[in-house]
Amino acid sequence: MRLSSVLSAAAGLLVVLLYVSPVETGKCPRVCSCDNSKLTVACMGKNLTEVPPTVDEITVKLDLRNNDLQVLPRGAFLHTPYLTHLNLQRCNIMKVKEGAFRTLGRLVSLNLAYNNIEILYQESFDGLSSLKELHLDHNRVEEIQPGAFTQLGFLNMLALTHNQLVYIPNMAFQGLQNIKWLRLSHNSLNNLATEAFAGLFTLNRLSLDHNELQFFPTQTMTRLPEVTRLDMSYNPMTYLGEESVSMAKLTHLYLDHMSLQDLSDMALSQAPLLSYLDLSHNQLRYLEPLSGPKELASLNLTGNRIYCNCYMRPLREWSRRGGVKLLGACAGPAHLSDEPLQAVAPLELRCRSREETLKEEFEEQDGSREPAPPTAKPKKKVKCPDNCDCDVEAQHATCEGRGHTKVPRGFPPKTQLLDLRSNHFHYLPASSFPGADQVVSLHLEFCKIHEIEGGAFRGMKKLFYLYLSDNDLTSLDPAAFAGAPDLTYLHLEGNRLAQFPGSALAPLPGLFALHLERNVISKLEPTGLLSSAAPKLRGLYLTNNTVTAIAKGAFNSAYLDTLHLDSNQLTEVPTDALTEASSLEELNLSRNSIRWVGPKAFQPVSQSLRRLYMDETGMEKMSRDSLAGVGAGLKTLTVGGNQLEQLPDLSPLTGLEVIDLRGNPLLCDCPLLPLRRWMENVSLEVTATCGHPPELRGQSVRDVHVFKSCPDSSSPPGEKPATPPKAPKTNKPKPPVLKASGVQARPVKAKAKPSKPTKTKPQKKPKAPAVTKQNKKTM
Ligand SMILES: *[C@@H]1O[C@H](CO)[C@@H](O)[C@H](O)[C@H]1NC(C)=O
Ligand SMILES: *[C@@H]1O[C@H](CO)[C@@H](O)[C@H](O)[C@H]1NC(C)=O
Ligand SMILES: *[C@@H]1O[C@H](CO)[C@@H](O)[C@H](O)[C@H]1NC(C)=O
Ligand SMILES: *[C@@H]1O[C@H](CO)[C@@H](O)[C@H](O)[C@H]1NC(C)=O
Ligand SMILES: *[C@@H]1O[C@H](CO)[C@@H](O)[C@H](O)[C@H]1NC(C)=O
């Protein structure tokens, strides 16, 4: 080639590089179609086995549906950092390697539906810091590893429907700080850990329909303060007892297509805002008026076999008075059959003599009643130890409370959940679970176990959750858990352990949550306790032990994020123990005897701390700078039920979402002015009540006028207020102060005799409603 042409070619290239806008440089992989103006690339159904490497860097929408990618390797989208939408539906993906999406910080929507993903790894979704929607439905997900979603702080909607989840572990969804809708329908869930949904403070809609839940997960649900809509349809529940649903903001509850035979009139007493309740297609014969929901507008009883006699009259009267629309029809007696409930006048709901009624009901059922549907799907039975039940399809086996004295053997080889609680094993010898190598979750609560021989769980290479709660363990063999290397959640609460079982944890490199509540541990030593025993532990629960001493640096660990030390015997904030606990987000120190909190008490964790609980510690004083360093990151602070007259400087806590100051005898005078000003400034509702001086006792800090006369009331926040003109803070012992001065106590629960989950037999007459009780109710 001649020099001149080389030069002109080079010059031409230069022109292209310099002047052509990026859109026009767009390269398009051969099999794809590209729209350069919309920056979209579509390569659907091309049998691609890898992400085309030549997709233009500036692409924002990439559609790879219906290909054959199989594995998404680390950095699979390195070359397209500007993507906002990525569709990977039906790509035969089995595995998403950690870091696969790491470069996609702008991605808003990710669709991974209809693939074959089984496990969500800890870092599968790393880097997706803007993601709003994640579709993982129609996969085979059976395991969510701890921390799988921690990076998805902006996610609004997570779809995990049509997967194979059996159990949701504690904190499974940790990190989803903006989640609004969580969809878990169409799985095989039969158990939800109490803290399964912990941390989902923004969730307002939860779908759990089409699962295998046999009981309403009351405790788990109370962790969801903002949920307004809960769908539990199509779960095999037979009974709903008193206070089953305790959800302050719930408005819509779907309990249709279950197997409900009875529902306590108090079942919804803790769901005050409920407006729509769907009980259609259950097996209810009658229903009492429901206590609690004052706003109920609609109660759907379609598809139940409601027997319209006098026992239904209170409900009908209640619905009329309260304007509750009843949907559904009478199934009998004959003359009211198929009559819409709403159209039946209360007086038409009559009972004749007892005998007549019984006879009539009997005839009614004889003629028209179909056999009661079974409460759970019949499952085919195969190999299963005596006195146990094995559900091969659901991969569960249970021998709960069957009086076994030795661990039964011979479970189906694919069993994943093994429930042996409430037996009498006393002692677990080595290799107690041969052939149980697929078990993920093992229940051994209430088994009177006092000793576990080294290697007891040997061979359980998939064991992830182990429940040894409420046994009689006083110590643990260092090799107790050897051979179960995947153990991640370990429950040892309710034993008699006197020491932190450090050496026994050594074989468990992945331990994530350790429950040691209700033991008798009094010392946490030595320095570096955690970093040597359980270096990756995130949650340590030591509630209700006898801890008095914690070594300096005991919690040195960059992973620990939740530490419960409540109900112990600490006399001060264990500041020194927290050095290097640089990720600690939740600290519970309630119910210790910490009378004084000194300066900078939380300094080591001030940057990470999100939730701090210090209720009922007998606290009399917090230094003004006790919270020094803690800033906008703190979301929750509770110091209720203490003896505080003044509070530390709260003005840096601009991110607070929950604050509890109740039950403190606050001294309503000028030193409290910064609090008062701060209260006016923050958007959250603050309940604070004066305890002193006597004439203001019981009044809200917000309402009293004493602050008007304080000098310098315009001084900028954070500045020390001028010396108050009177009532300087004394250090004399305080006069006894009524704890109740901040009356905001929860209403005392009306605990009637617990009604048992009775299965109403078809021929059984519905129990007569207690008329006097009905009359007392406010409707
Ligand atoms: C994809 O591969 C299958 C089987 O290998 C073949 O039948 C099909 O025609 C291919 N489709 C395309 C679009 O290449
Ligand atoms: C009541 O339940 C039935 C059966 O589930 C359903 O078809 C109907 O739409 C429900 N009615 C209302 C108003 O929700
Ligand atoms: C601590 O545990 C004991 C024994 O399990 C129990 O009786 C007690 O009520 C618990 N205390 C607290 C404060 O939870
Ligand atoms: C903190 O501890 C107190 C006292 O044991 C308990 O009532 C409360 O539920 C705990 N809070 C959290 C979030 O753990
Ligand atoms: C009130 O809010 C303003 C604006 O956010 C802030 O600058 C100021 O420090 C706040 N005052 C107090 C007392 O928190």
Side-chain angles (χ1 to χ4, degrees):
M1 196 189 276
R2 270 188 283 149
L3 183 63
S4 61
S5 64
V6 171
L7 282 177
S8 74
L13 188 63
L14 200 62
V15 167
V16 170
L17 288 175
L18 284 178
Y19 295 106
V20 173
S21 77
V23 179
E24 284 152 339
T25 61
K27 38 189 179 174
C28 190
R30 198 176 46 83
V31 294
C32 307
S33 52
C34 305
D35 180 333
N36 289 347
S37 63
K38 296 203 191 104
L39 309 178
T40 58
V41 174
C43 330
M44 283 116 76
K46 304 293 181 195
N47 284 354
L48 295 173
T49 56
E50 57 169 18
V51 178
T54 55
V55 173
D56 198 324
E57 182 185 22
I58 58 172
T59 304
V60 297
K61 293 192 180 172
L62 178 57
D63 193 341
L64 289 168
R65 257 178 289 176
N66 293 304
N67 283 292
D68 192 22
L69 301 177
Q70 312 228 8
V71 173
L72 286 182
R74 175 187 289 262
F77 300 93
L78 220 50
H79 303 297
T80 47
Y82 298 105
L83 284 184
T84 60
H85 291 71
L86 176 57
N87 195 335
L88 294 166
Q89 266 191 77
R90 300 183 195 272
C91 282
N92 296 328
I93 297 170
M94 282 170 288
K95 195 165 166 146
V96 177
K97 288 263 181 80
E98 297 178 359
F101 303 110
R102 198 161 279 156
T103 43
L104 300 183
R106 295 171 189 232
L107 201 66
V108 174
S109 167
L110 174 58
N111 195 333
L112 282 161
Y114 293 96
N115 282 292
N116 300 320
I117 300 169
E118 290 177 356
I119 300 177
L120 301 179
Y121 294 101
Q122 186 171 342
E123 288 170 18
S124 294
F125 303 111
D126 253 26
L128 296 172
S129 53
S130 306
L131 198 66
K132 293 213 159 112
E133 283 179 17
L134 176 55
H135 298 266
L136 282 163
D137 48 292
H138 296 89
N139 275 277
R140 299 184 186 169
V141 177
E142 59 187 50
E143 184 177 331
I144 300 175
Q145 291 201 345
F149 302 116
T150 44
Q151 307 273 321
L152 303 180
F154 277 96
L155 200 70
N156 287 160
M157 195 280 299
L158 173 59
L160 274 164
T161 56
H162 294 94
N163 276 287
Q164 293 173 10
L165 293 166
V166 172
Y167 176 74
I168 304 283
N170 282 330
M171 301 185 292
F173 302 103
Q174 203 179 22
L176 299 179
Q177 296 164 12
N178 278 295
I179 188 90
K180 299 285 183 303
W181 188 12
L182 177 57
R183 303 170 63 186
L184 292 165
S185 319
H186 292 277
N187 278 278
S188 306
L189 292 171
N190 68 18
N191 197 351
L192 306 173
T194 309
E195 305 292 340
F197 301 127
L200 302 183
F201 298 115
T202 55
L203 192 72
N204 53 44
R205 184 165 178 192
L206 176 61
S207 308
L208 280 166
D209 52 290
H210 295 87
N211 277 292
E212 301 279 342
L213 296 167
Q214 295 183 28
F215 304 99
F216 191 91
T218 305
Q219 289 307 317
T220 310
M221 292 298 148
T222 58
R223 305 297 195 271
L224 293 169
E226 294 296 324
V227 165
T228 59
R229 208 181 156 103
L230 175 62
D231 192 343
M232 283 271 175
S233 319
Y234 295 92
N235 277 285
M237 289 180 209
T238 53
Y239 174 73
L240 223 56
E242 275 177 29
E243 297 180 8
S244 288
V245 183
S246 179
M247 301 179 76
K249 296 210 175 158
L250 195 67
T251 60
H252 287 67
L253 177 59
Y254 300 86
L255 297 172
D256 52 291
H257 295 89
M258 307 211 300
S259 312
L260 288 176
Q261 300 182 348
D262 198 3
L263 182 105
S264 158
D265 62 324
M266 301 293 285
L268 301 160
S269 59
Q270 301 296 316
L273 298 185
L274 198 64
S275 68
Y276 179 83
L277 174 61
D278 195 340
L279 289 170
S280 60
H281 296 282
N282 277 287
Q283 297 162 34
L284 298 167
R285 294 281 283 163
Y286 97 117
L287 196 68
E288 283 183 60
L290 300 171
S291 293
K294 299 263 181 290
E295 326 248 322
L296 198 64
S298 178
L299 173 57
N300 196 343
L301 288 166
T302 309
N304 285 278
R305 294 196 47 82
I306 302 290
Y307 196 80
C308 290
N309 65 6
C310 66
Y311 300 127
M312 278 296 286
R313 197 185 292 169
L315 184 82
R316 185 68 192 93
E317 279 169 351
W318 167 80
S319 75
R320 211 181 223 195
R321 269 201 306 275
V324 180
K325 184 159 196 235
L326 292 181
L327 298 150
C330 301
H335 71 283
L336 288 177
S337 177
D338 293 334
E339 193 70 16
L341 290 169
Q342 191 74 10
V344 180
L347 285 177
E348 291 179 76
L349 294 165
R350 280 191 300 264
C351 290
R352 281 166 286 159
S353 74
R354 206 182 140 80
E355 290 71 27
E356 272 177 302
T357 312
L358 285 174
K359 180 163 165 270
E360 191 181 60
E361 275 186 40
F362 180 76
E363 280 162 3
E364 197 74 31
Q365 285 152 15
D366 209 27
S368 62
R369 201 174 202 288
E370 76 273 23
T375 52
K377 283 181 261 161
K379 300 274 164 73
K380 71 170 186 265
K381 292 248 160 71
V382 285
K383 172 181 160 181
C384 190
D386 282 351
N387 221 353
C388 296
D389 296 318
C390 302
D391 184 333
V392 173
E393 204 179 309
Q395 299 167 332
H396 308 164
T398 175
C399 326
E400 179 186 348
R402 302 285 183 85
H404 291 279
T405 55
K406 286 205 172 116
V407 176
R409 299 191 169 193
F411 293 98
K414 288 194 173 161
T415 303
Q416 291 189 356
L417 187 147
L418 185 51
D419 190 346
L420 299 169
R421 75 187 92 180
S422 303
N423 285 290
H424 308 291
F425 298 136
H426 299 284
Y427 169 70
L428 288 184
S431 299
S432 282
F433 303 91
D437 55 1
Q438 297 299 308
V439 170
V440 173
S441 182
L442 175 59
H443 288 266
L444 288 165
E445 299 97 324
F446 296 102
C447 285
K448 303 197 159 100
I449 299 168
H450 59 78
E451 195 181 341
I452 299 176
E453 195 181 339
F457 305 100
R458 190 180 296 144
M460 301 191 79
K461 55 184 201 292
K462 293 248 173 104
L463 192 62
F464 201 72
Y465 312 101
L466 175 57
Y467 299 85
L468 283 163
S469 329
D470 298 292
N471 281 291
D472 299 324
L473 295 165
T474 52
S475 64
L476 280 169
D477 187 303
F481 306 119
D486 268 2
L487 195 53
T488 305
Y489 291 83
L490 177 56
H491 287 258
L492 287 163
E493 64 270 29
N495 279 283
R496 290 188 272 137
L497 297 171
Q499 276 173 5
F500 187 84
S503 53
L505 306 179
L508 307 177
L511 195 63
F512 183 87
L514 177 59
H515 287 266
L516 286 166
E517 298 93 328
R518 295 183 286 117
N519 279 284
V520 288
I521 299 169
S522 56
K523 290 198 167 68
L524 293 168
E525 292 169 335
T527 298
L529 172 79
L530 273 199
S531 47
S532 60
K536 296 227 171 152
L537 198 69
R538 303 245 188 146
L540 177 56
Y541 303 88
L542 284 157
T543 303
N544 201 350
N545 275 269
T546 53
V547 178
T548 51
I550 308 181
K552 190 171 170 21
F555 303 124
N556 281 358
S557 157
Y559 291 90
L560 190 68
D561 65 23
T562 303
L563 178 58
H564 286 189
L565 284 165
D566 47 301
S567 296
N568 275 288
Q569 294 166 13
L570 294 169
T571 54
E572 54 184 30
V573 175
T575 311
D576 290 343
L578 298 173
T579 50
E580 295 176 43
S582 54
S583 301
L584 194 70
E585 292 189 1
E586 177 169 312
L587 177 60
N588 196 341
L589 292 169
S590 298
R591 299 207 185 166
N592 281 281
S593 340
I594 304 175
R595 303 188 146 235
W596 183 68
V597 179
K600 302 184 182 171
F602 303 95
Q603 189 78 43
V605 293
S606 60
Q607 291 309 301
S608 57
L609 203 60
R610 299 286 172 272
R611 295 173 296 282
L612 175 59
Y613 305 93
M614 288 191 293
D615 305 291
E616 298 175 46
T617 64
M619 201 188 303
E620 292 166 5
K621 186 162 193 284
M622 290 181 82
S623 297
R624 186 172 163 78
D625 54 353
S626 52
L627 296 174
V630 180
L634 195 71
K635 302 273 184 254
T636 302
L637 172 65
T638 68
V639 291
N642 284 303
Q643 299 296 331
L644 294 171
E645 298 188 351
Q646 297 186 25
L647 289 165
D649 181 14
L650 300 176
S651 59
L653 308 183
T654 52
L656 273 185
E657 290 165 3
V658 175
I659 182 161
D660 189 346
L661 307 171
R662 289 176 219 170
N664 282 289
L666 295 174
L667 173 62
C668 283
D669 208 332
C670 295
L672 210 60
L673 183 61
L675 170 72
R676 166 61 184 269
R677 270 208 231 124
W678 175 81
M679 281 168 64
E680 279 161 10
N681 217 4
V682 292
S683 55
L684 74 174
E685 175 71 24
V686 183
T687 311
T689 323
C690 306
H692 303 293
E695 65 272 20
L696 296 180
R697 176 174 298 174
Q699 295 195 38
S700 160
V701 173
R702 202 181 281 276
D703 299 338
V704 297
H705 298 295
V706 47
F707 300 107
K708 288 219 177 98
S709 55
C710 292
D712 196 17
S713 67
S714 57
S715 75
E719 212 172 87
K720 271 207 157 64
T723 331
K726 54 169 187 161
K729 173 92 181 66
T730 59
N731 283 325
K732 283 182 299 185
K734 278 111 211 149
V737 177
L738 282 178
K739 256 257 178 72
S741 59
V743 273
Q744 266 287 321
R746 292 194 321 139
V748 181
K749 282 183 197 164
K751 269 269 186 271
K753 55 163 184 21
S755 36
K756 276 214 233 79
T758 43
K759 293 190 180 174
T760 321
K761 293 204 193 77
Q763 69 273 24
K764 194 181 137 200
K765 191 174 70 69
K767 60 180 184 294
V771 176
T772 50
K773 198 165 131 211
Q774 300 305 330
N775 292 346
K776 265 189 270 157
K777 262 170 215 153
T778 48
M779 292 178 192

